[in-house]
Amino acid sequence: MKNWKKSILSLSLLGTTLLGGLAPATVFAQEELPAQVQAIKDAGVFKVGIKEDVPHFGFLNPDTTEHEGFEIDLARLIAEEITGSADNIAFTGVTPKTRGPLLDNGEVDAVIATFTITEERKETYNFTEPYFIDEVGFLVRTEDGITDFAGLEGKTIGVPQSATTKDLVQAEADDQGVTVKFSELATYPELKTALTSKRIDAMSVDKSILAGYVDDNSQILDIGFSPQEYGIATKLSNDELHNYLNELIAGWLEDGTIAELLEANGVQATSSDSE
């Protein structure tokens, strides 16, 4: 078993040790906060970029107009840790294309938005240690009868703009000797609409994201590849804030708080035996 799969298993096992209720509000009491963290406390608001179109992770519920999901709860927990109240938070919806610029111009303090950690991105932003590990997958129309990677030969794959997905799918296609074409769209709802209207043949993003878009006429293929690690991103110069958040995440992974939040939001670790 690969190391990343062991990490997923460990995360899941931690979740079984905490039953009922949400995580404890305070994990690391600090008498004196680092200056960059103290500045957030003084401002009285933690500004965070989140997804609004990923059910179970970061979602703006149209019925309640409330944000909900695992990453929303994680952001609220950080706000409570810093300011003393989970309500002292300002959400900004981001896409893969906008989340970097919003960090650069200081409109958000951090991005918690299924942001995959890569060596290239770590040259531009700080990332905490991963709080979730996922893999890339495909959502296809059930009526098309596609069941494996070979079935995607000659097909058009819909992928999000400015994400790592296109390169990862191309690399996997090259390894398997499969030729595919791509259509890049800005949002996940646009990708799902394109799949339904048959402008693309498959939608490809991380499998936890696909789980929010599957319906009676579509299915997630039982294959996965290229494990993706999600971390909290901050501006590269905000090293004090980064170190503070990294300590929080490390502690919450160890004590099971992260696993509890995942379970509370119906998020399951994904894995595949197809590799």
Side-chain angles (χ1 to χ4, degrees):
M1 181 181 291
K2 295 182 178 180
N3 290 335
W4 69 274
K5 290 186 176 180
K6 291 181 178 178
S7 298
I8 290 174
L9 180 59
S10 298
L11 210 60
S12 177
L13 290 174
L14 280 171
T16 64
T17 65
L18 297 173
L19 300 176
L22 288 177
T26 300
V27 178
F28 303 103
Q30 297 193 24
E31 295 182 356
E32 184 175 348
L33 294 172
Q36 292 173 347
V37 181
Q38 184 65 48
I40 294 173
K41 183 175 183 178
D42 292 343
V45 61
F46 177 47
K47 299 180 295 183
V48 58
I50 45 85
K51 292 285 185 66
E52 294 183 321
D53 56 2
V54 182
H56 309 296
F57 270 79
F59 186 64
L60 180 58
N61 189 319
D63 296 326
T64 65
T65 69
E66 296 288 336
H67 289 94
E68 59 187 37
F70 161 67
E71 289 178 330
I72 302 300
D73 289 345
L74 181 59
R76 291 188 188 279
L77 200 59
I78 294 170
E80 182 169 9
E81 192 74 19
I82 296 175
T83 71
S85 172
D87 295 328
N88 292 334
I89 194 162
F91 291 122
T92 298
V94 303
T95 69
K97 193 171 185 177
T98 64
R99 56 193 174 189
L102 287 169
L103 272 176
D104 294 337
N105 63 27
E107 289 191 39
V108 297
D109 299 312
V111 168
I112 310 176
T114 62
F115 209 160
T116 301
I117 304 168
T118 69
E119 291 304 314
E120 182 180 3
R121 286 174 174 168
K122 287 197 293 187
E123 294 179 0
T124 308
Y125 304 107
N126 293 314
F127 284 92
T128 64
E129 69 172 88
Y131 55 76
F132 188 75
I133 304 173
D134 203 355
E135 57 185 359
V136 177
F138 297 99
L139 182 68
V140 299
R141 292 182 294 274
T142 305
E143 66 182 26
D144 291 347
I146 299 173
T147 59
D148 54 21
F149 208 104
L152 297 171
E153 173 66 35
K155 303 297 186 184
T156 299
I157 313 299
V159 295
Q161 296 173 345
S162 302
T164 57
T165 311
K166 180 181 177 181
D167 290 342
L168 297 173
V169 172
Q170 184 62 67
E172 186 69 15
D174 291 343
D175 286 345
Q176 300 207 23
V178 173
T179 299
V180 296
K181 296 172 287 187
F182 292 97
S183 176
E184 296 182 78
L185 298 173
T187 67
Y188 306 128
E190 287 180 78
L191 287 167
K192 181 59 168 63
T193 298
L195 179 66
T196 302
S197 62
K198 301 187 177 181
R199 288 184 285 120
I200 61 175
D201 300 299
M203 170 180 173
S204 182
V205 291
D206 299 345
K207 294 176 79 171
S208 57
I209 297 173
L210 292 177
Y213 287 90
V214 67
D215 57 22
D216 292 341
N217 300 312
S218 60
Q219 61 181 353
I220 299 173
L221 295 185
D222 190 23
I223 56 176
F225 54 91
S226 300
Q228 308 283 294
E229 296 180 334
Y230 297 165
I232 299 176
T234 53
K235 201 171 182 177
L236 202 57
S237 59
N238 289 350
D239 55 336
E240 292 179 345
L241 176 59
H242 161 69
N243 292 335
Y244 179 85
L245 295 177
N246 203 45
E247 185 177 355
L248 287 181
I249 293 300
W252 288 339
L253 284 169
E254 183 177 358
D255 72 7
T257 298
I258 295 290
E260 185 177 359
L261 292 180
L262 287 167
E263 183 178 1
N265 285 283
V267 178
Q268 296 182 343
T270 58
S271 63
S272 171
D273 296 327
S274 62
E275 292 180 296

